[in-house]
Amino acid sequence: MNMRDYQTINTYQEESLEYIRQTQHLKSFPHIKVLLDEFCKHLPHFGSVLDIACGSGRDSIYFLDRGYHCISVDITPAFVHHCAKIHQNVVQADIHN
């Protein structure tokens, strides 16, 4: 990772509580729900989803509530910790490595 990547991760870490507060509820993002609904039409019922850069876990919750097996991945420790409160399949990882 370069310095800019570390700065981005640190910013998300420092602002994580506010980011989670602003993004965790799908009802605040009706346009995203439309996209997720359309995406699910192409998935096998009760299939698996990998939520990369899961952030607040908003999309992971959507999939879990619909019976999908979901693995949530993020590099930011605060997001991983938050999502681990929601479900057990959470991984902290740098997807570039």
Side-chain angles (χ1 to χ4, degrees), residues 16-33:
S16 62
L17 293 177
E18 183 61 19
Y19 182 88
I20 290 166
R21 186 188 69 76
Q22 289 185 18
T23 65
Q24 68 183 341
H25 300 292
L26 192 57
K27 65 183 177 186
S28 301
F29 301 91
H31 60 289
I32 293 176
K33 183 180 181 310

Side-chain angles (χ1 to χ4, degrees), residues 54-89:
C54 62
S56 64
R58 177 197 62 221
D59 299 346
S60 296
I61 293 168
Y62 172 92
F63 294 119
L64 291 165
D65 286 349
R66 282 152 185 80
Y68 293 96
H69 172 76
C70 184
I71 298 173
S72 303
V73 179
D74 207 292
I75 195 169
T76 306
F79 295 154
V80 171
H81 179 74
H82 176 76
C83 287
K85 295 177 189 176
I86 298 167
H87 72 108
Q88 62 187 11
N89 295 317

